[in-house]
Amino acid sequence: MAAPTAALPIRRNTVLLAATMAVNSAVLQLVAAVASLTFVLVTGFESLLGLGPAIFLTASAVTAVPAGRSMDRFGRIPVIAAGFALGAVGCWLTALGTWADSALAVIAGFALIGSSAGISLLVRTAAGDMYPPSRRARGIAYVLIGAVFGAILGPAVFSPIFAGQDELTANVLTIPWLAAGVISLVAMGIALSVRPD
C-alpha cells in the first residue's frame, strides 16, 4: 500500500509543475512576440531590432548555471519561486520603461526576464528528481507538456489587450507587460504549492 500513497504526491507535484510551465510559457509568448518591438519603440533604433531578444537570451544563459548550483544548496522550489519573482519584477520594469520611454528600464527588465526564463527551464530538474531513473524521462515529458498549453494560453491572454489598436506605441505595451508580471506571480504561487521540495 505504500507505493500508491507515495505516488499521490508525485502525481500532484507533476501536475503543479506542468501548470507552472504552462503559466510561464504564456509570459514567454509575450516576450517572443513583442520584445523586439518594445526595444525599438522605446529606443528608436530600428537597426538594433535583435538586441532586445539578445539581452533576454544572454541573461537566460548566464543565469542557468548559478541557479542550478543554488538549487543544490537551497532546494529546487525556493530557487524556482525566486526566478518567477525576478520575472515579475522584470516585466514591471519593462512596463515602466515603455510608459516612461526609458531604454535603461527596458534593458534591465529584459535582463531580469531572461534570468527568470533560465531559472524556469530548471523546473525539469525538479520533475526529474521525483521519478526513479527508469521513469525520469517520462516524468520530465509530463511537465513539459505544460509548456505546450502555455503556448496556446499566451495568445489567448494577450490578444484581447492588442485588439482595436490601430497604431502600436510604447505606451500601448505597458499594460501587457504589467499583466505578464502578474502572470509570473501566479507561476510563483503554483511553484510554491509543490510539496515536498
Side-chain angles (χ1 to χ4, degrees):
M1 297 301 286
T5 305
L8 289 176
I10 292 174
R11 287 185 190 138
R12 176 184 176 275
N13 287 342
T14 299
V15 169
L16 288 171
L17 290 172
T20 300
M21 291 295 286
V23 174
N24 182 62
S25 185
V27 174
L28 296 181
Q29 289 296 312
L30 176 74
V31 172
V34 299
S36 293
L37 185 61
T38 299
F39 190 82
V40 169
L41 288 174
V42 172
T43 65
F45 296 117
E46 288 188 28
S47 59
L48 300 177
L49 186 65
L51 190 55
I55 294 166
F56 171 85
L57 291 171
T58 301
S60 179
V62 167
T63 306
V65 172
R69 289 183 179 156
S70 296
M71 283 183 167
D72 291 338
R73 183 171 180 185
F74 301 109
R76 306 285 189 223
I77 298 307
V79 175
I80 290 169
F84 290 129
L86 276 179
V89 172
C91 289
W92 293 332
L93 202 51
T94 303
L96 175 64
T98 60
W99 178 74
D101 258 355
S102 169
L104 190 60
V106 166
I107 291 168
F110 281 1
L112 290 177
I113 297 166
S115 294
S116 174
I119 294 169
S120 71
L121 291 175
L122 299 175
V123 167
R124 295 172 293 184
T125 62
D129 287 347
M130 295 187 299
Y131 287 86
S134 61
R135 297 187 60 225
R136 189 162 291 148
R138 183 179 297 175
I140 293 170
Y142 289 149
V143 169
L144 289 179
I145 287 171
V148 175
F149 288 107
I152 297 166
L153 177 68
V157 169
F158 292 111
S159 292
I161 297 174
F162 293 109
Q165 298 294 333
D166 295 330
E167 184 181 340
L168 273 181
T169 62
N171 287 340
V172 170
L173 297 172
T174 301
I175 291 175
W177 285 113
L178 286 172
V182 172
I183 292 170
S184 293
L185 289 184
V186 171
M188 181 183 77
I190 296 171
L192 287 172
S193 300
V194 174
R195 293 288 186 270
D197 184 9

